[in-house]
Every structure is written in structure tokens, then in C-alpha cells.
Amino acid sequence: MLLFLVNNVTKFETSNFSDENLDLISFCYVPPICTEWHAVASWTWDAQDETCGICRMAFDGCCPDCKLPGDDCPLIWGACNHAFHLHCILKWVNSQTSQAHCPMCRREWQFKE
Amino acid sequence: MELQPTPPPAANLHVLRALTPDSVQEILHSYAAFCSSTASLLSGDLSATGPDFVSNVHALCNHGLRSLVRDHFLKSLEDSFESNSVPRFWRCFDDYRNVGILEKSEGGLDFENRVRQVLYGALEEISSDKAYQEKCLLMLVRSLDSYKESFPDGKCDLDDERTYLFSRYRLMVASVLMNSLPRHFPEMLHWYFKRMLEELSTTVDGEVDAGDGEDDCPDEDDMDLDEKGKASFRSGKMDIDESTFQGKLLENNKLVRKIGKVVHDLRRLGFTSMTEDAYASAIFLLLKAKVHELAGDDYRDSVLEPIKSWIKAVPLQLLHALLAYLGDTISYDSPSPGLKSPLASHQSSCSPGMNTPPEGLIRWQLRLEYFAYETLQDLRISKLFEIIVDYPDSSPAIEDLKQCLEYTGQHSKLVESFISALRYRLLTAGASTNDILHQYVSTIKALRTIDPAGVFLEAVGEPIRDYLRGRKDTIKCIVTMLTDGTGGNPNASGITGDSLLEELNRDEESLENGGVEEDFNTDEKQAWINASLWEPDPAEADPSKGSRNQRKVDILGMIVGIIGSKDQLVNEYRVMLAEKLLNKSDYDIDAEIRTLELLKACSVMIHFGESSMHRCEIMLNDLIDSKRTNHNIKATIKPSQTEPQEAGLSMDIFNTTIISSNFWPPIQEEALKLPEAVEQLLNNYAKRFHEIKTPRKLLWKQNLGTVKLELQFEDRTTQFTVTPIHAAIIMQFQDQTSWTSNKLAAAIGVPVEVLNRRIYFWISKGIITESLGTDSDDHVFTLVEGTSDGGKTGGNNKSCDELLVGDEEAESSVASVEDQLRKEMTVYEKFIMGMLTNFGSMALDRIHNTLKMFCVSDPTYDKSLQQLQSFLSGLVSEEKLELRDGMYFLKK
Ligand SMILES: [Zn+2]
Ligand SMILES: [Zn+2]
Ligand SMILES: [Zn+2]
């Protein structure tokens, strides 16, 4: 029902544009001119999980060592498709004496190409 | 020459027993002659004191009847005084029984002069009667003395006779007058002294004013020519004044001399203490009136010094002259005061130094000053509420009060009176939380001056803090006051546009620059210090950075002390900051960065963890990043991408704030279907973001942000800054001028209730009208055709360039702290209701402790007492609970 209406209106918008509205324009000079549109969005790493399996902090937050999220504290995906904070997995990998494994699936850790 | 059958006093009976008939005869004869000449003497015949009188006195003395002679003479004086002089004296005042009332009905200078003349006349008459009697008495003394001189060893107590008789006489005069004193006489004296003092005060004030004129001249430079002419005229007059100054003082002295004469006469009639009471009470009354006149309802000037100099100029000058005058005349026992004494007193009274003021005068000065301090203090305390409202403009009044209290030590008066004023005037349902907070801050600032130790401040602040804790919007108002100089307090006096943090910081900085208190010029200050007897307060005298810094800490501490937890304050600030940042259409956050820095600085001082403000920093950083990213995206976006130009939308006018939502307070998300053209822009923008920042993605908050629209009418163009939903609504009308509410709601993808609420903005602007449709639930919204009859805006021909949609709708994009708390607390609601059902009523503490005890898991109760209180007051306002005497009940 809602979809129908929306479609209907959209159709209406695109098809009825022009002629018929001339008399309206003489009274009130619509359309309003938009001089600025300032939108708001949030960013996300779009990982499958919410939190990093190593530090338990949110992916869209940052690792315990970082002050700022986003570019400064990126995510990295392994070949196994598990994601971690870059700083977290690097620490993890470096701390492993022999071979490093993904903390989640125990498979050998490889950065995703 | 008739016999006076006066019975001889009993004490002389033994003398009579030893008498021969001859001597009896002689006694009877002498006594009769003595009595008769006494009578004629007293009736005015001075010749009656010839040698006969003396020999009769001697004869009676010879028979050991000296005391009879004295007693009879004094008795005769008394009879004559009592039956003639005294009634005549009192009769003079019969017409002025109620001088206060008469003054009102008759009034005027005439009346005043008449009363004065009556008083002077009556005093003169009775004094001359008395002088005559004293002369008579002196004759008796001489007769008795000459009798004594006939004995070789009698010489030594000649003076005793005289002293004895005169002191008995004085006692007699005083007691006769006192016994017959009419009640209206003291009143009249009081009135007389009051009027005389007022007159003296007026003349002296005139001189003081003329003297002050000199100080006004330095600002001559600022005057235009016209004014300069006047000024030179004025200073020309000054010279004349200088020469008339002496004359005026003499005139004063005439006045003083008159008063002195009256006091002198009255004293000699035995009215010493009554007279002193009369002029003392007149002086105090005048002083009180003067304090009220000088102090008034103006708190912006210090009045203590003018009052003190007035005391020196008027009452003390008078008293000095008076004491000198009386001191001189008292030492001479002559009935009429010598002419030189008033002159002598004049010389000492007008010499500026008063080289060695007599002790009596110093006592008077202390008495008068204490009285003035107390009067001013009471006056200021009774108006302390208004004074604090007026703070800091009223700081001179506060400074005065401080000095008064230091002198009188009556601080407790202040506390009691001020607390009751607070309860009555401020801590009422009608006062806004903002007003209460601002008064609280002013109180802290003002009372800190009076009471650096903060003892009384603690007592006065407690009721305000208690009251504020019960208000739901307290934290929000505190944060606003601390951090926001713009919207905080519309009716604050003094500096606006300045947050409290900024103000405290500025105080500190001005101090670092060796700041002097602004409106106190240094010369004046020095003069003040010199003139003042007070030791400057050590803290005040040496305002080191530390003490001022301490002030900042104290003020912040007392404000934050209202809120139980400091984290609550930061949370509230974060919500407000989010709200502000999300409504920015530019990326200008200088003010917010500054505020956060100030807040961080004080977080160190009052110990709320800097880490809790880390999130705020990230929010600000998001804005900085957004600006950069926004620029990159727009600069690199492919221009080929189709942009629907017909809606006037292009990437040029499009900007985005990109937030790290994890660090922001929960955002109110509402579904919204934006116009096609805008959706297109969003998609392109998001795509480019993803390209630049892979693998990051954008999630749009369609309902957030700001849109600037320009609506053109026949005669004008109006700009609106609105939310996206308002823009989406009005843009729907470009293709279709009339919509039913259901259809329009569907078109923009929001619930009908939301639409109905939001479209009100356009209705209120007269751009859309609402009418009932066929279905009663379904309203019809129609674009107004032509705006000249557009109702609400039609009347207003002035073109408003920008109308902001903001405060009039209390819609916020960020969930308030209260909402968040509410959400978290709702789980406990059923516990609380259950407890109250079982226990009937519970105090806050007990509810808190019970929740802590029983809600140990899922979810654990981890809220503070204040958070619980604010949640409960929400339930009270929803009428689920009731709060009486600190106990919560279920609402029935
Ligand atoms: Zn991590
Ligand atoms: Zn990191
Ligand atoms: Zn894995």
C-alpha cells in the first residue's frame, strides 16, 4: 500500500511536471530554491561483527592504543575473512613466537589480498 | 511688717528651751523682720537687703538659728519659683502640645521660627528669674559669711556655705521643674533639635557639594565647547564659594551657638540628661535618614565613605562645637556665658585637623559610626536579594556591606534574612531553573567577597542546592550556563554572550596581566584606602594568582556540587554538543573547541576525569575530518553524473557532516523519504566516499542536517533554515498544491503524526493551510495561493531574511541524557512500583539502597542517587508517583 502510494507520487512528480502548475506559479513562486543542503551521515567499516575479536572494542570505535577512530585505526581482513583492528592483529601476530593464527578460526593468519 | 507664724523646726527645740523672754522677743522680732525683707526681696525690691537684713540674719544666727534662716530663704525662693516662674514657663508651651502634628498642619518656616522664638523667650525669662533668685541667694550667702567672719576660726568654710546653698538651690529648681514637667516638653525639645540639625545639615551639605564641584572638573576635556563654557563658569563660581565658605561656617556657628545656648540654659535648669537625650536622638534620627537617603535603592556606588564624611561634617562638627561651648561655660560659674566661648569653639571646630579631639567627641564618633554601620547593614541586608540580582554592578553595595559586617559582626542576620528571601522569592515554582542558577552563581560571587572563608555561603547555598536537585532540567541548565554564552540566560544582567567558563577564565587572565579592578580608578582606590580606617583584608590586598584560581575552583565546585556526579555533567554536555554540531551548516567549530578546552582545564581542577571528555574531542574531530573529506569528495566527484537541475540541486550546494557514531550520543533516527533529486545526490556522494575510504561506507541519517530554502513570493523572497523533513514537505507541493495528510505522509515516508507535527511550521508561516477533508482523520493541506492574504505573514510586510526553525519545536536530533536514562531506568520501574505497593511510602535513599540490594543482575542497578532522583521526578510529573515531605508514594 505504502509502496503503491510512493510509486504513484513519484510517477505524478515526474509526469506532471510543468504546464499545469503555471497558474500556481503566478501566485506563489514555488518551487522553493534550495540554497544549501547540509546532510548528516555516519561511517562504518561494514564488518560482519560489531566488535574486534582481539580487543573486544567496537570496530567502528578504535583499538585501545588509539585516540581517534577511522583512518587512524583501520580494520584489516584476513584471508579467512575475519576482521580486526589493524593495530590489534599486528600486535597479535608479532606476539606469536612461531606462526601466527587468526584468533577467531585458528587458521594461519594471512592478510586478505 | 506682720508676724509670720511659722513654727520653728523641731530640731531647734532644745535651743528654745534655754531662752530667756528677752531673747525670745529678739528672735521673734528679727525673724519677723527677716521674713518680711525676704518677701520684699523676692518680689523684686533689692533695697530690702540693707544693713537691717544683715543684722537680722546675724541676730538669728546668734541664737543658733542659722539653719532656720537658710531653710526659710530657700523655701521662699522655692515658693516664688514654683508659683510664678515655673507656671509662666510651662504656659509658654501650652499652644504647642503636639508639635509634630502642628508642624504638619501649620508647617512652614513661620511656624518653625515661632516655636524657636517661644523656646528662646521662655528659656530667657526663666533663666533671668533664676538669675535674680541666685543674686538674692548670693546676698544671703554674703550676710551669713559676714556673720562667720566675726569669728576668728570661721573663715575657712566660707565657700562651703556658698556651695551648700547653691547646690540646694539647684536641686530645688530641678525638682520643681521636673515635678511639674508637662509631657509635651521633651517632645518639643526633640523636635527643636531635629529641625536645627536638619538646617545645619543642609548648610553643611551645600558646602560639601560646592567642595565636590572641584573634583568634577578633570573631565572637562570630554566636554564640547558649550559645556566648557559652563564649566569655567562653574569654576569661576568656585572662587566665590571659596570666599563665602568662611561666611557659611560663621553662619553655622550662629546656629551652633543658638543650639549651645539652649543646651546650656536647659542644663542649668537641671534638664541635663533630658537635653542630651533629645539632641542625641535627633542626631541619630537624622543620621538614619541620611543613611537611607544616601544609600537608597542604588547599589552601584559605595555610600559608606560619604556617610562617614557626613558624620564628620555635620553631627561631629556640631557636637565638637557644642562640647567646646559647654565645656567653656561650665567651668565659669557665671550665669551668662561669656561671648568669647562661641568664638573659641568656632576656631577649634573649623580647623581641619581637630588636633586633639576631646575624649567625649571620640566616643560620639564611635557611637555614630557604629550606628551608621548597623543602619546601612540592615538596609543592605533587607535588600540583599535585589543587590545580588544586580551583581556585579552592585559590587560597591556588597563591599559596603562587607565593611559594615566586619564592624558589627552580625553575619547571622544576613544568613537568616537572605535565606528567607530566597525561599520566598526565588525557590518557587514560578522561577525558572536558569534564573535560580544565575542567582546562585551571583550569590556565590557576591558572598565570597563578604565571607572569603565561605562559612555563610555554605549555609545560604544549601537551600538553593537542595531545591535545584529536585528540578529535572537542572543539569542541562548548568551545562548551558557553563558552556554556552548565547542562549543561556536571556535576562541576565551584565555581560552576555559569554559562558561562565569563559568569564571565570577571563578573571584569571586579567589577573595574570596584573589586572586592576576595572571600575575603580587607582587614585580613588588609594584615597579610599587612605580614608578608610580598615585594615585591608589580606586576601584582597594581595590578590595572588592562587587566590583567584581558588575562586574559580570554588565557584565551579559549588556549581558542580549541585549535580551529584561529575560524569552526568559531561554526559549532558556531550548531548548538547552533539545537538549543536549536528545543526551546523558550516564546519565552524572554533567556539566549541574553545569551550571544550575550558571544560578540560576545569576538569583537572574539580577532578572529573579528562578521559570522559575524550568522546567530545572525537566529535569535534569528526567535524574537522568531515570538512576535509567533504572537500575531497566534491572536488573529485565525476561531473558527468546526472544532476536533476530542475530542483535547483547540485553537488555545489551539498555538504555532509560525517560522524563516528560510536562516540556520539544515541541519535534519534526517523525514517524519511527525501526528494528524488536529493536521494540522487546522497547516492553519488556515498559512492564517492566508499571509493575514497574503502572499505568504509556511509550511512545516511536522512532526518538530520539543515536545509536552507528560499521561497519567492510576489513581493519578496524569504529564507528559511529548516530540517530535511520540513524541506521534504514543502518540496512536495511544487508539483501538487494540495495533499491529504495520509498521502503526504506516505509520500515523504513518515507517520502521519510526525507529518502533522512538522507541517505546523509551514502553517505557522502562512505558507500552507490546513482544512478538514472528507474523512475526519484525514486533513487537507493546501499551498496558500498568493501571500498578500496569507494571514499570518500577510500582516508583516517587512521581509524577514531568515527564519530559523529551531527552538520553537522542541525536536532534537540527539536523544537527551534524560531520555537515555529513562530508557535505562524503565526496567526498574516495576521494581519501584512493587516496592511502593508493599511499603506504602519510601524515601529516596531507601529506594536507592533497595534497588542496589535486589537488582544485582540482569540488569545490575548501577545508577547514582541523583539519576534515580531525576527518574523518580519524571514519574512524579507523569503522575505515577507522588512526593510528599521527601517520601515517594504511589499516586492513587
Ligand atoms: Zn581491536
Ligand atoms: Zn588503533
Ligand atoms: Zn579467521
Side-chain angles (χ1 to χ4, degrees), chain B residues 407-421:
Chain B
Y407 204 80
T408 64
Q410 297 174 345
H411 290 81
S412 59
K413 250 189 193 175
L414 177 148
V415 174
E416 280 161 33
S417 153
F418 189 60
I419 287 180
S420 83

Side-chain angles (χ1 to χ4, degrees), chain A residues 1-2 5-6 8-10 12-14 16-18 20-21 23-24 26-46 57-62 66-72 75 77, chain B residues 582 584-585 587 614 618 621 648-649 653-660 662-663 673-674 678 693 695-701 704-714 724 732 734-737 739 746 783-786:
Chain A
M1 177 65 178
L2 184 77
L5 269 176
V6 171
N8 201 18
V9 170
T10 319
F12 182 80
E13 260 183 355
T14 43
N16 284 23
F17 178 70
S18 76
E20 201 176 309
N21 294 316
D23 64 320
L24 164 71
S26 65
F27 289 108
C28 179
Y29 298 106
V30 169
I33 298 168
C34 179
T35 56
E36 189 182 339
W37 191 294
H38 195 107
V40 174
S42 65
W43 59 262
T44 173
W45 285 107
D46 206 23
M57 303 295 269
F59 279 135
D60 292 342
C62 53
C66 283
K67 281 262 171 204
L68 297 173
D71 291 339
D72 290 352
L75 289 206
W77 276 261
Chain B
L582 290 181
K584 277 198 186 295
S585 56
Y587 299 96
H614 181 219
I618 291 177
N621 195 61
L649 284 168
I653 57 137
F654 187 79
N655 296 300
T656 304
T657 295
I658 303 161
I659 65 171
S660 309
N662 258 56
F663 298 88
K673 188 182 179 305
L674 293 173
V678 181
K693 301 273 185 184
R696 286 159 76 188
K697 278 185 180 166
L698 280 191
L699 302 171
W700 293 104
K701 317 271 179 202
L704 300 185
T706 54
V707 181
K708 286 184 182 159
L709 290 175
E710 226 171 68
L711 264 68
Q712 294 182 359
F713 303 102
E714 280 168 334
Q732 289 298 332
Q734 75 186 64
D735 298 326
Q736 183 181 333
T737 56
W739 289 83
L783 194 67
V784 172
E785 303 189 347

Side-chain angles (χ1 to χ4, degrees), chain B residues 290-304 306-307 376 379-380 383-384 386-388 390-401:
Chain B
K290 194 71 195 176
V291 170
H292 280 252
E293 179 201 319
L294 284 172
D297 285 336
D298 178 19
Y299 313 125
R300 306 190 176 196
D301 292 302
S302 170
V303 291
L304 207 47
I307 289 171
L376 183 64
L379 196 65
R380 290 311 191 209
K383 295 282 182 186
L384 189 57
E386 285 87 346
I387 294 176
I388 285 179
D390 207 17
Y391 194 83
D393 289 344
S394 61
S395 32
I398 292 286
E399 194 57 38
D400 278 359
L401 180 56

Side-chain angles (χ1 to χ4, degrees), chain A residues 52-59 62-64 84-89:
Chain A
C52 165
I54 298 173
C55 69
R56 312 308 299 176
M57 303 295 269
F59 279 135
C62 53
C63 79
F84 302 96
H85 291 119
L86 174 65
H87 302 135
C88 292
I89 196 68

Side-chain angles (χ1 to χ4, degrees), chain B residues 470-506:
Chain B
R471 288 231 176 168
K472 277 170 75 182
D473 57 343
T474 297
I475 301 177
K476 194 170 181 156
C477 290
I478 288 175
V479 175
T480 307
M481 184 172 70
L482 280 173
T483 59
D484 191 351
T486 51
N489 184 28
N491 49 0
S493 59
I495 317 109
T496 47
D498 218 358
S499 67
L500 184 61
L501 282 178
E502 195 72 64
E503 184 198 319
L504 291 174
N505 192 63
R506 204 187 40 230

Side-chain angles (χ1 to χ4, degrees), chain B residues 279-280 283-284 316 319 360-368:
Chain B
Y279 69 73
I283 286 172
F284 282 114
L316 280 182
L319 288 163
L361 202 63
I362 290 170
R363 263 206 310 275
W364 263 105
Q365 180 170 5
L366 290 175
R367 269 176 80 188
L368 289 171

